[in-house]
Amino acid sequence: MSADDGTLVRCPNCGENAAPRARFCENCGTPLGATNGDPSVPSEVTLEGAPLVVDPDPASGESRAQRSCAACGGVIAPDGYCSDCGTPGQSERDHFEERPAGWVAGVCDRGVRHARNEDAMALAASSNFAALVVCDGVSSAPDSDIASLAASRAARDVLVAYGPEGTSPVEGATSRRIAGWTDAMVAASRAAGQAVRGVAEQLAATNGKDAADDPPSCTFVAAVVDDDLIVAGWVGDSRVYWLPDSGQAEQLSVDDSWAQEMIAAGVPRAQAETSPQAHAITRWLGPDAPDTDARCAATVPSEPGWLLVCSDGLWNYCSDAHEMSDLVRRFATSGDPQTASAALVRWANAQGGRDNITAALARVAPSVPEQR
Protein backbone atom coordinates (compact mmCIF):
# COMPACT_ATOMS: atom_id res chain seq x y z
CA MET A 1 0.00 0.00 0.00
CA SER A 2 1.08 3.57 -0.52
CA ALA A 3 -0.34 6.99 0.06
CA ASP A 4 -2.66 8.56 -2.49
CA ASP A 5 0.06 11.03 -3.51
CA GLY A 6 2.62 8.25 -3.88
CA THR A 7 4.94 9.76 -1.26
CA LEU A 8 7.03 7.23 0.65
CA VAL A 9 8.83 7.42 3.98
CA ARG A 10 12.11 5.56 4.35
CA CYS A 11 12.95 3.75 7.60
CA PRO A 12 16.04 5.36 9.19
CA ASN A 13 17.20 1.95 10.49
CA CYS A 14 16.87 -0.50 7.58
CA GLY A 15 15.93 1.71 4.63
CA GLU A 16 12.61 0.02 3.81
CA ASN A 17 9.96 2.24 2.25
CA ALA A 18 6.77 2.87 4.22
CA ALA A 19 3.61 4.88 3.73
CA PRO A 20 3.72 8.48 5.02
CA ARG A 21 1.68 7.92 8.19
CA ALA A 22 3.14 4.56 9.15
CA ARG A 23 4.03 4.45 12.83
CA PHE A 24 6.45 1.52 12.58
CA CYS A 25 8.63 -0.01 9.89
CA GLU A 26 7.07 -3.25 8.58
CA ASN A 27 10.55 -4.76 8.16
CA CYS A 28 12.36 -4.00 11.44
CA GLY A 29 9.76 -2.43 13.73
CA THR A 30 11.62 0.87 14.16
CA PRO A 31 9.34 3.81 15.08
CA LEU A 32 9.13 6.16 12.09
CA GLY A 33 9.83 9.83 12.62
CA ALA A 34 7.05 10.80 10.22
CA THR A 35 4.53 10.23 13.01
CA ASN A 36 6.53 11.54 15.96
CA GLY A 37 4.72 14.34 17.67
CA ASP A 38 1.57 13.89 15.57
CA PRO A 39 -1.33 14.38 18.03
CA SER A 40 -3.64 12.39 15.72
CA VAL A 41 -1.59 9.23 16.30
CA PRO A 42 -2.45 7.58 19.62
CA SER A 43 0.48 6.65 21.83
CA GLU A 44 -1.35 3.58 23.13
CA VAL A 45 -3.66 1.08 21.55
CA THR A 46 -7.34 1.63 22.19
CA LEU A 47 -9.80 -1.15 21.55
CA GLU A 48 -12.93 0.90 22.13
CA GLY A 49 -15.52 -0.42 19.73
CA ALA A 50 -13.49 -3.52 18.92
CA PRO A 51 -14.82 -7.04 19.39
CA LEU A 52 -13.69 -8.51 22.69
CA VAL A 53 -11.19 -11.35 22.80
CA VAL A 54 -12.86 -13.91 25.02
CA ASP A 55 -11.44 -16.89 26.86
CA PRO A 56 -10.81 -19.36 23.99
CA ASP A 57 -11.89 -22.29 26.14
CA PRO A 58 -14.29 -21.12 28.86
CA ALA A 59 -15.47 -24.66 29.51
CA SER A 60 -12.01 -25.65 30.71
CA GLY A 61 -12.46 -23.72 33.94
CA GLU A 62 -9.24 -21.75 33.43
CA SER A 63 -9.36 -18.15 34.52
CA ARG A 64 -8.06 -15.22 32.54
CA ALA A 65 -5.03 -15.11 34.86
CA GLN A 66 -3.95 -18.53 33.60
CA ARG A 67 -2.60 -17.36 30.28
CA SER A 68 0.51 -18.68 28.59
CA CYS A 69 3.74 -16.73 28.74
CA ALA A 70 4.80 -15.60 25.26
CA ALA A 71 8.46 -15.82 26.26
CA CYS A 72 8.72 -19.34 27.67
CA GLY A 73 5.28 -20.96 27.48
CA GLY A 74 4.80 -20.93 31.26
CA VAL A 75 1.72 -19.76 33.15
CA ILE A 76 0.98 -16.10 33.81
CA ALA A 77 0.28 -15.80 37.54
CA PRO A 78 -2.51 -13.62 39.02
CA ASP A 79 0.04 -10.82 39.61
CA GLY A 80 0.52 -10.50 35.83
CA TYR A 81 3.98 -12.06 35.64
CA CYS A 82 5.12 -15.47 34.38
CA SER A 83 5.50 -17.87 37.29
CA ASP A 84 8.43 -19.56 35.50
CA CYS A 85 10.56 -16.79 34.01
CA GLY A 86 9.11 -13.59 35.48
CA THR A 87 8.27 -11.95 32.15
CA PRO A 88 5.27 -9.58 32.35
CA GLY A 89 2.18 -11.08 30.75
CA GLN A 90 0.82 -9.48 27.61
CA SER A 91 -2.73 -8.22 27.25
CA GLU A 92 -5.29 -10.53 25.69
CA ARG A 93 -5.15 -8.57 22.44
CA ASP A 94 -1.35 -8.68 22.40
CA HIS A 95 -1.26 -12.45 22.85
CA PHE A 96 -4.14 -14.89 22.59
CA GLU A 97 -4.73 -18.52 21.71
CA GLU A 98 -7.67 -20.46 20.30
CA ARG A 99 -8.31 -24.20 20.29
CA PRO A 100 -11.77 -25.04 18.93
CA ALA A 101 -10.95 -28.76 18.68
CA GLY A 102 -8.16 -31.08 19.73
CA TRP A 103 -6.73 -31.15 16.20
CA VAL A 104 -6.93 -27.38 15.53
CA ALA A 105 -5.27 -24.52 17.42
CA GLY A 106 -3.50 -21.22 16.89
CA VAL A 107 -1.51 -18.49 18.61
CA CYS A 108 -1.55 -14.76 17.80
CA ASP A 109 1.22 -12.62 19.28
CA ARG A 110 2.43 -9.02 19.19
CA GLY A 111 6.05 -9.96 18.58
CA VAL A 112 9.05 -8.13 20.02
CA ARG A 113 9.37 -4.89 18.06
CA HIS A 114 5.82 -3.61 17.54
CA ALA A 115 3.88 -1.62 20.11
CA ARG A 116 0.63 -3.44 19.42
CA ASN A 117 -0.69 -6.61 17.81
CA GLU A 118 -2.31 -5.85 14.47
CA ASP A 119 -2.60 -9.56 13.58
CA ALA A 120 -5.83 -11.40 14.31
CA MET A 121 -7.14 -14.93 13.89
CA ALA A 122 -10.46 -16.74 14.22
CA LEU A 123 -10.79 -20.52 14.25
CA ALA A 124 -13.67 -22.98 14.20
CA ALA A 125 -13.71 -26.79 14.06
CA SER A 126 -15.74 -29.94 14.56
CA SER A 127 -14.89 -33.60 14.03
CA ASN A 128 -14.07 -33.40 10.31
CA PHE A 129 -14.36 -29.69 9.49
CA ALA A 130 -12.18 -26.71 10.33
CA ALA A 131 -11.96 -23.06 9.31
CA LEU A 132 -8.77 -21.11 10.02
CA VAL A 133 -8.68 -17.37 9.29
CA VAL A 134 -5.74 -14.99 9.76
CA CYS A 135 -5.81 -11.25 9.05
CA ASP A 136 -2.75 -9.00 9.29
CA GLY A 137 -3.46 -5.32 9.88
CA VAL A 138 -1.50 -2.90 7.70
CA SER A 139 0.60 -0.80 10.09
CA SER A 140 0.66 2.20 7.75
CA ALA A 141 -3.07 2.65 8.40
CA PRO A 142 -4.47 3.58 11.83
CA ASP A 143 -6.76 1.22 13.79
CA SER A 144 -5.85 -1.76 11.63
CA ASP A 145 -5.74 -3.90 14.78
CA ILE A 146 -9.46 -3.33 15.23
CA ALA A 147 -10.16 -3.96 11.56
CA SER A 148 -8.19 -7.22 11.40
CA LEU A 149 -10.03 -8.67 14.39
CA ALA A 150 -13.43 -7.78 12.96
CA ALA A 151 -12.45 -9.13 9.52
CA SER A 152 -11.18 -12.47 10.80
CA ARG A 153 -14.33 -13.15 12.80
CA ALA A 154 -16.67 -12.10 10.01
CA ALA A 155 -14.88 -14.44 7.58
CA ARG A 156 -14.88 -17.33 10.03
CA ASP A 157 -18.63 -16.99 10.57
CA VAL A 158 -19.27 -17.15 6.83
CA LEU A 159 -17.12 -20.26 6.43
CA VAL A 160 -18.89 -21.95 9.35
CA ALA A 161 -22.21 -21.29 7.60
CA TYR A 162 -20.96 -23.35 4.66
CA GLY A 163 -19.69 -26.14 6.94
CA PRO A 164 -21.46 -29.43 7.66
CA GLU A 165 -23.41 -27.94 10.58
CA GLY A 166 -24.08 -24.60 8.90
CA THR A 167 -27.11 -23.19 7.15
CA SER A 168 -25.70 -23.68 3.61
CA PRO A 169 -23.46 -26.76 3.80
CA VAL A 170 -21.13 -27.57 0.93
CA GLU A 171 -21.86 -31.12 -0.20
CA GLY A 172 -21.33 -33.53 -3.06
CA ALA A 173 -18.42 -35.03 -4.93
CA THR A 174 -14.94 -33.56 -4.60
CA SER A 175 -15.18 -31.37 -7.71
CA ARG A 176 -18.49 -29.98 -6.57
CA ARG A 177 -17.17 -29.27 -3.09
CA ILE A 178 -14.12 -27.48 -4.50
CA ALA A 179 -16.45 -25.20 -6.45
CA GLY A 180 -18.66 -24.72 -3.40
CA TRP A 181 -15.78 -23.86 -1.09
CA THR A 182 -14.31 -21.50 -3.67
CA ASP A 183 -17.60 -19.60 -3.64
CA ALA A 184 -17.56 -19.71 0.17
CA MET A 185 -14.04 -18.27 0.30
CA VAL A 186 -15.00 -15.39 -1.95
CA ALA A 187 -18.06 -14.75 0.22
CA ALA A 188 -15.87 -14.87 3.34
CA SER A 189 -13.34 -12.40 1.94
CA ARG A 190 -16.14 -10.06 0.92
CA ALA A 191 -17.64 -10.27 4.40
CA ALA A 192 -14.20 -9.54 5.87
CA GLY A 193 -13.85 -6.55 3.58
CA GLN A 194 -17.27 -5.30 4.62
CA ALA A 195 -16.28 -5.67 8.27
CA VAL A 196 -13.21 -3.51 7.69
CA ARG A 197 -15.34 -0.87 5.98
CA GLY A 198 -17.76 -1.03 8.91
CA VAL A 199 -14.92 -0.41 11.36
CA ALA A 200 -13.73 2.53 9.26
CA GLU A 201 -17.21 4.05 9.23
CA GLN A 202 -17.70 3.51 12.96
CA LEU A 203 -14.36 5.05 13.86
CA ALA A 204 -14.90 7.94 11.46
CA ALA A 205 -18.27 8.70 13.03
CA THR A 206 -16.72 8.54 16.50
CA ASN A 207 -13.82 10.79 15.54
CA GLY A 208 -15.85 13.13 13.35
CA LYS A 209 -13.98 12.57 10.09
CA ASP A 210 -14.50 11.09 6.64
CA ALA A 211 -14.33 7.27 6.56
CA ALA A 212 -12.20 7.49 3.40
CA ASP A 213 -9.55 9.56 5.19
CA ASP A 214 -6.66 7.20 6.00
CA PRO A 215 -8.87 4.14 6.63
CA PRO A 216 -7.79 0.91 8.36
CA SER A 217 -6.89 -2.09 6.24
CA CYS A 218 -5.60 -5.66 6.51
CA THR A 219 -4.69 -8.77 4.58
CA PHE A 220 -6.80 -11.93 4.57
CA VAL A 221 -5.96 -15.60 4.39
CA ALA A 222 -8.10 -18.61 5.25
CA ALA A 223 -8.22 -22.35 4.83
CA VAL A 224 -10.94 -24.91 5.34
CA VAL A 225 -10.59 -28.61 5.95
CA ASP A 226 -13.67 -30.47 4.73
CA ASP A 227 -13.00 -34.13 5.44
CA ASP A 228 -10.55 -35.11 2.65
CA LEU A 229 -10.37 -31.65 1.04
CA ILE A 230 -8.39 -28.46 1.78
CA VAL A 231 -9.32 -25.15 0.16
CA ALA A 232 -7.35 -21.94 0.71
CA GLY A 233 -8.23 -18.33 -0.09
CA TRP A 234 -6.23 -15.12 0.26
CA VAL A 235 -5.98 -11.39 -0.34
CA GLY A 236 -2.50 -10.07 0.47
CA ASP A 237 0.65 -11.79 1.68
CA SER A 238 -0.39 -13.96 4.63
CA ARG A 239 0.02 -17.62 3.73
CA VAL A 240 -1.35 -21.17 3.71
CA TYR A 241 1.06 -24.12 3.66
CA TRP A 242 0.24 -27.82 3.26
CA LEU A 243 2.99 -29.82 4.96
CA PRO A 244 2.54 -33.59 4.55
CA ASP A 245 4.47 -35.94 6.82
CA SER A 246 6.26 -37.22 3.74
CA GLY A 247 6.18 -36.04 0.17
CA GLN A 248 6.06 -32.57 -1.32
CA ALA A 249 5.42 -29.63 0.98
CA GLU A 250 3.70 -26.76 -0.79
CA GLN A 251 2.63 -23.18 -0.31
CA LEU A 252 -1.01 -23.16 -1.43
CA SER A 253 -1.37 -19.37 -1.44
CA VAL A 254 0.47 -16.98 -3.78
CA ASP A 255 1.39 -13.61 -2.26
CA ASP A 256 -0.21 -10.45 -3.56
CA SER A 257 2.98 -8.47 -3.15
CA TRP A 258 5.78 -6.65 -4.91
CA ALA A 259 8.14 -9.48 -3.97
CA GLN A 260 5.93 -12.09 -5.64
CA GLU A 261 5.72 -10.02 -8.80
CA MET A 262 9.52 -9.88 -8.89
CA ILE A 263 9.73 -13.65 -8.32
CA ALA A 264 7.30 -14.17 -11.21
CA ALA A 265 9.58 -11.98 -13.32
CA GLY A 266 12.55 -14.22 -12.56
CA VAL A 267 14.16 -12.56 -9.54
CA PRO A 268 15.42 -15.19 -7.03
CA ARG A 269 13.06 -15.62 -4.06
CA ALA A 270 15.70 -14.77 -1.45
CA GLN A 271 16.60 -11.54 -3.25
CA ALA A 272 13.00 -10.47 -3.82
CA GLU A 273 11.86 -11.21 -0.26
CA THR A 274 14.72 -9.28 1.33
CA SER A 275 14.48 -6.16 -0.82
CA PRO A 276 13.32 -2.86 0.74
CA GLN A 277 10.03 -3.04 -1.21
CA ALA A 278 9.36 -6.72 -0.43
CA HIS A 279 6.42 -6.09 1.90
CA ALA A 280 4.53 -3.74 -0.39
CA ILE A 281 1.23 -5.55 -0.92
CA THR A 282 -0.74 -5.29 -4.13
CA ARG A 283 -4.12 -6.39 -2.72
CA TRP A 284 -5.71 -5.85 0.69
CA LEU A 285 -9.04 -5.39 2.48
CA GLY A 286 -10.28 -1.91 3.29
CA PRO A 287 -12.40 0.99 2.05
CA ASP A 288 -9.70 1.85 -0.49
CA ALA A 289 -9.26 -1.75 -1.71
CA PRO A 290 -9.87 -2.19 -5.43
CA ASP A 291 -10.69 -5.92 -5.12
CA THR A 292 -11.71 -7.97 -2.08
CA ASP A 293 -12.42 -11.31 -3.79
CA ALA A 294 -10.12 -14.04 -2.51
CA ARG A 295 -8.04 -16.03 -4.94
CA CYS A 296 -8.32 -19.72 -4.15
CA ALA A 297 -6.50 -23.02 -4.41
CA ALA A 298 -7.44 -26.56 -3.39
CA THR A 299 -5.68 -29.80 -2.64
CA VAL A 300 -6.81 -33.32 -1.73
CA PRO A 301 -4.29 -34.77 0.74
CA SER A 302 -3.41 -38.41 0.31
CA GLU A 303 -1.53 -38.73 3.60
CA PRO A 304 -1.43 -37.13 7.06
CA GLY A 305 0.19 -33.77 7.55
CA TRP A 306 -0.08 -30.25 8.92
CA LEU A 307 -2.08 -27.37 7.52
CA LEU A 308 -0.47 -24.06 8.51
CA VAL A 309 -2.13 -20.65 8.15
CA CYS A 310 0.19 -17.83 9.17
CA SER A 311 1.08 -14.16 8.88
CA ASP A 312 4.36 -12.87 7.50
CA GLY A 313 5.66 -12.43 11.05
CA LEU A 314 6.37 -16.17 10.92
CA TRP A 315 7.17 -16.88 7.28
CA ASN A 316 9.54 -13.90 7.05
CA TYR A 317 12.02 -16.12 8.87
CA CYS A 318 11.20 -19.33 7.00
CA SER A 319 9.64 -18.71 3.61
CA ASP A 320 10.39 -21.87 1.66
CA ALA A 321 7.73 -24.59 2.00
CA HIS A 322 10.27 -27.38 2.55
CA GLU A 323 12.07 -25.41 5.25
CA MET A 324 8.74 -24.54 6.87
CA SER A 325 7.85 -28.24 6.86
CA ASP A 326 11.08 -29.06 8.67
CA LEU A 327 10.42 -26.29 11.19
CA VAL A 328 6.88 -27.43 11.95
CA ARG A 329 7.96 -31.06 12.31
CA ARG A 330 10.65 -29.96 14.76
CA PHE A 331 8.03 -28.45 17.06
CA ALA A 332 5.16 -30.87 16.41
CA THR A 333 6.64 -34.11 17.69
CA SER A 334 3.81 -34.47 20.23
CA GLY A 335 1.16 -34.07 17.52
CA ASP A 336 -0.48 -31.26 19.52
CA PRO A 337 -1.32 -28.21 17.35
CA GLN A 338 -1.48 -25.81 20.29
CA THR A 339 1.97 -26.78 21.56
CA ALA A 340 3.38 -26.54 18.04
CA SER A 341 1.74 -23.17 17.30
CA ALA A 342 3.07 -21.69 20.53
CA ALA A 343 6.55 -23.04 19.77
CA LEU A 344 6.47 -21.50 16.28
CA VAL A 345 5.58 -18.11 17.76
CA ARG A 346 8.35 -18.35 20.36
CA TRP A 347 10.78 -19.34 17.61
CA ALA A 348 9.83 -16.32 15.48
CA ASN A 349 10.26 -14.05 18.49
CA ALA A 350 13.67 -15.59 19.11
CA GLN A 351 14.63 -14.70 15.51
CA GLY A 352 13.92 -11.04 16.32
CA GLY A 353 10.11 -10.80 16.41
CA ARG A 354 10.19 -7.87 13.99
CA ASP A 355 6.49 -8.19 13.18
CA ASN A 356 3.30 -9.48 14.75
CA ILE A 357 3.13 -13.28 14.54
CA THR A 358 0.22 -15.63 13.99
CA ALA A 359 0.47 -19.39 13.51
CA ALA A 360 -2.63 -21.58 13.21
CA LEU A 361 -2.31 -25.33 12.68
CA ALA A 362 -4.64 -28.21 11.87
CA ARG A 363 -3.53 -31.81 12.06
CA VAL A 364 -5.05 -33.39 8.96
CA ALA A 365 -5.33 -37.17 8.70
CA PRO A 366 -7.39 -38.08 5.62
CA SER A 367 -9.10 -41.43 5.61
CA VAL A 368 -7.56 -44.02 3.33
CA PRO A 369 -9.95 -46.11 1.18
CA GLU A 370 -9.98 -49.78 2.06
CA GLN A 371 -8.02 -52.10 -0.24
CA ARG A 372 -10.12 -54.75 -1.98
Side-chain angles (χ1 to χ4, degrees):
M1 270 180 82
S2 61
D4 292 339
D5 61 4
T7 305
L8 294 174
V9 172
R10 185 174 295 277
C11 173
N13 182 47
C14 71
E16 177 159 334
N17 290 328
R21 295 194 65 194
R23 288 182 289 277
F24 297 92
C25 173
E26 283 279 357
N27 183 51
C28 69
T30 299
L32 298 177
T35 61
N36 291 343
D38 185 346
S40 68
V41 178
S43 59
E44 296 184 357
V45 180
T46 173
L47 294 181
E48 183 178 356
L52 295 177
V53 177
V54 299
D55 183 349
D57 188 14
S60 68
E62 294 184 351
S63 68
R64 286 190 177 184
Q66 293 176 311
R67 292 177 286 123
S68 297
C69 173
C72 74
V75 175
I76 300 299
D79 64 1
Y81 292 84
C82 176
S83 58
D84 293 340
C85 70
T87 299
Q90 296 175 307
S91 72
E92 287 182 85
R93 184 62 180 93
D94 280 349
H95 179 91
F96 66 96
E97 304 179 5
E98 293 187 10
R99 185 170 190 162
W103 59 288
V104 179
V107 177
C108 185
D109 186 78
R110 186 185 70 185
V112 175
R113 302 285 189 90
H114 282 227
R116 65 180 182 178
N117 185 12
E118 292 172 322
D119 275 10
M121 70 174 179
L123 313 179
S126 58
S127 60
N128 61 351
F129 165 78
L132 300 84
V133 183
V134 171
C135 293
D136 180 356
V138 177
S139 65
S140 60
D143 301 308
S144 291
D145 54 329
I146 302 175
S148 64
L149 194 58
S152 64
R153 292 177 172 181
R156 175 202 58 195
D157 292 347
V158 169
L159 294 174
V160 167
Y162 284 85
E165 299 176 3
T167 57
S168 305
V170 173
E171 299 174 328
T174 300
S175 59
R176 183 173 179 180
R177 285 188 293 136
I178 290 174
W181 279 117
T182 298
D183 291 342
M185 276 294 174
V186 172
S189 67
R190 289 177 179 176
Q194 182 57 47
V196 176
R197 289 191 292 274
V199 167
E201 292 168 0
Q202 178 184 355
L203 293 172
T206 301
N207 299 327
K209 66 176 185 179
D210 190 332
D213 182 19
D214 204 10
S217 54
C218 65
T219 67
F220 163 86
V221 69
V224 293
V225 181
D226 179 17
D227 198 11
D228 61 345
L229 173 66
I230 295 173
V231 178
W234 64 93
V235 178
D237 64 350
S238 294
R239 291 184 178 179
V240 177
Y241 291 90
W242 167 238
L243 311 171
D245 291 346
S246 61
Q248 189 84 0
E250 57 182 323
Q251 178 186 328
L252 297 181
S253 58
V254 180
D255 298 347
D256 295 311
S257 69
W258 181 93
Q260 183 59 44
E261 291 188 1
M262 294 301 99
I263 292 170
V267 176
R269 175 182 289 272
Q271 179 181 340
E273 292 183 346
T274 56
S275 69
Q277 296 82 24
H279 289 280
I281 54 177
T282 55
R283 296 206 308 147
W284 60 91
L285 301 182
D288 57 347
D291 173 22
T292 61
D293 286 4
R295 292 195 289 162
C296 300
T299 188
V300 180
S302 59
E303 60 179 298
W306 291 98
L307 173 67
L308 171 65
V309 182
C310 65
S311 65
D312 60 350
L314 175 62
W315 69 252
N316 274 338
Y317 299 111
C318 189
S319 175
D320 179 76
H322 303 289
E323 294 176 0
M324 183 65 79
S325 183
D326 291 341
L327 183 68
V328 170
R329 279 201 297 267
R330 184 200 310 177
F331 295 126
T333 54
S334 68
D336 178 33
Q338 188 167 28
T339 300
S341 296
L344 288 170
V345 167
R346 289 196 299 274
W347 177 84
N349 276 325
Q351 308 312 303
R354 296 182 302 177
D355 201 351
N356 309 140
I357 308 155
T358 303
L361 285 168
R363 178 61 183 171
V364 179
S367 57
V368 179
E370 293 184 5
Q371 297 280 338
R372 292 191 178 183

